[in-house]
Structures are given as C-alpha cells and as structure tokens.
C-alpha cells in the first residue's frame, strides 16, 4: 500500500516517499480550504465562525504533534500508560459528545420551534446518520485496528491511515461548534479544547506504533503530526456547513456527536483494552469525562 501511494506520485517506493505524497496533498487541501474560508469570510455572518474553526482546528492539529513529542526523548512508554491515555481521550470525547454537541443540538432544535418530542427525534436521527456515515467509511476504507510488533509494516500504516480518517469527525465537531458560537451558545472553545486534549494521547499512540514497526523516532513524530492536519480542513468544512443556514445547526451537532461516539466505541475503547489494562483505561476514561464536563461548564458558561 505504501509503495503504491508513492509510485502513483512518481516518488521512491518507500515510507518517506508515501509521506511526501500525502503531505503534498494535505498542503494542497489545506490551501484550498483556507482560500474558501477567505472567500466565505467576505459574506456576512461567516467571520466569527470561520476564525473559531481555523483556530480550533489548528490547536487540535498542534495537540496531535505535541502528543508525539515525548517519543523523541523517552525510551519506553508502558502499555498501562498507553491504555490510560487512550481511556482519557475516550472520556473526553464522550463528554464532548453529550455536553457540547447533543444537548446544544436539542436546544437549537427547540429554538427553531420544535417541541420536546420533535427535537428529540431530530437529534436521534442526526446522531444515527453521523454514526452510519462513519460506519460506511470504516467499511469502505482499508485499515487496521490493533498494530503491534508482530504485525507487518503495512498493518501499522493502515492503522495510521485509520487515525487520519477518524480525525475528520473531530474536525467537523470543532467547526460545527464554532459555527454555533454565533447563536449565543458559545461552547466552541470547550469543544476545540476537549478534542485537542484527546488528540495528545492519539498522536502518541500513532508515533509508538510506527517506532514499534521499526521506523525512526523523528519519522514517527513527523507522520503523527501530519495525521493531525485533517482536523483544520474538516473544521473549516463543518463551520461553513452550519453557517450557510441556521436550520442545519442541530443536524450538524447531532451528526458530529454520532460520528464521535462511533469512533469512541469502535476504535478508542477497544484499543485501550487491547493489552489487558482495563482498569487503568476505565480510570482514564472517568477522569477524561469529568475533566471535559467541567471544562464545558467553565468555557461554555
């Protein structure tokens, strides 16, 4: 897979060639997204939301790189610590889905004139659609859930690819929440901060997987940082989506929550339990959930 990606771009059939190709595409996509954002910013009502989406997405991408940074100086990170960090990230995403996305989606639907039953139905359908889209993406794109030293380098690269793809719903959540700031709800900062916290252990796990497969620490750090660039791109798209029409807001919030819940259940929790440290992982999840709940209250208040 790595060789094919590189060869299609007339680069050496190696991980370095594949990384150069993927980095080039990410730079192009980021440039196009920023150009669209600048054009959209000239329209009334886009400025604040777009600024928040770009800032939040950039913070989340930087957090991914920050998470991989310790690998440059640390010799070894225990399996228990990895499980605890992943559990913490799962807790953050669970709390963000509930307090920063689902509850505001319900409130936004009510503000548009829906009763309790209608708002609940809208949120339920939006949540199911978001999860279904991630399920379809999971089935359509090749990836691997549990890389370790006994697996091939291809399996590890599929895992890295899966992390990059699953950064998309996180970026969308940042963008949708930033678009909601203009409605007075104002919890976009909490969502961006919470997802950035979750990205720290995610970046570390990606880097560890690559080092375990035999790649250099510097190369592993660079790849982990590149995977985080999906978030600002998706954040801009999410912000533009909800800024077009206020009617889309509850659907966007509920859909982002559904996508995040799918990722937590399908990817993060199984990976945190994979090496038999369920208690540490569960403890990390509880701490992450409480921390994000408190953060949402403070920043969203």
């Amino acid at each position: 897979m790595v060789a094919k990606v590189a060869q299609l771009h007339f680069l050496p059939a190696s991980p370095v060639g594949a990384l150069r190709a993927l980095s080039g595409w990410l730079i192009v996509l980021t440039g196009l997204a920023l150009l669209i954002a600048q054009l959209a910013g000239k329209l009334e009502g886009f400025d604040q939301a777009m600024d928040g989406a770009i800032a939040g997405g950039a913070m989340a991408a930087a957090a991914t790189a920050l998470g991989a940074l310790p690998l440059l100086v640390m010799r070894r990170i225990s399996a228990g610590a990895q499980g605890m960090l992943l559990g913490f990230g799962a807790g953050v995403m669970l709390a963000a889905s509930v307090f920063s996305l689902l509850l505001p989606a319900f409130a936004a639907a009510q503000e548009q004139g829906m009763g309790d039953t209608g708002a609940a139905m809208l949120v339920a359908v939006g949540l199911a659609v978001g999860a279904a889209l991630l399920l379809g993406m999971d089935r359509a794109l090749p990836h691997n859930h549990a890389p370790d030293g006994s697996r091939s380098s291809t399996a590890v690269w599929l895992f890295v690819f899966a992390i990059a793809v699953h950064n998309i719903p996180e970026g969308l959540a940042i963008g949708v929440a930033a678009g909601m700031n203009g409605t007075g709800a104002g919890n976009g900062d909490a969502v961006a901060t919470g997802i950035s916290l979750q990205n720290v252990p995610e970046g570390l796990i990606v880097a560890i997987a690559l080092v375990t497969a035999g790649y250099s620490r510097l190369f592993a750090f660079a790849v982990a940082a590149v995977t985080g660039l999906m978030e600002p791109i998706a954040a801009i798209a999410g912000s533009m989506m909800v800024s077009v029409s206020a009617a889309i807001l509850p659907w966007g919030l509920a859909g982002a929550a559904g996508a995040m819940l799918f990722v937590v259940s399908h990817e993060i929790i199984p990976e945190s339990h994979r090496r038999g440290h369920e208690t540490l992982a569960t403890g990390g999840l509880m701490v992450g959930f409480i921390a994000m709940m408190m953060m949402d209250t403070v920043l969203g208040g």
Side-chain angles (χ1 to χ4, degrees), residues 30-131:
T30 302
L32 288 174
L34 290 174
L35 178 61
I36 294 172
Q38 288 179 347
L39 294 175
K42 298 183 183 299
L43 301 178
E44 183 179 357
F46 272 79
D47 290 342
Q48 180 183 357
M50 195 59 65
D51 289 346
I54 294 172
M59 180 170 65
T64 304
L66 178 64
L69 195 60
L71 200 70
L72 296 177
V73 294
M74 296 178 65
R75 297 300 302 172
R76 182 176 179 274
I77 300 175
S78 68
Q82 294 180 42
M84 183 172 62
L85 289 170
L86 282 171
F88 177 84
V92 168
M93 290 183 71
L94 284 173
S97 298
V98 175
F99 297 105
S100 300
L101 296 174
L102 286 178
L103 293 181
F106 185 79
Q110 287 184 315
E111 289 176 2
Q112 293 177 7
M114 293 187 177
D116 290 348
T117 302
M121 288 296 296
L122 184 152
V123 171
V125 173
L127 189 149
V129 169

Side-chain angles (χ1 to χ4, degrees), residues 180-187 300:
M180 191 173 60
N181 277 352
T183 68
N187 71 341

Side-chain angles (χ1 to χ4, degrees), residues 197-213:
L197 287 174
Q198 184 272 332
N199 281 353
V200 173
E202 191 175 85
L204 179 62
I205 297 305
V206 169
I208 289 174
L210 288 166
V211 169
T212 303

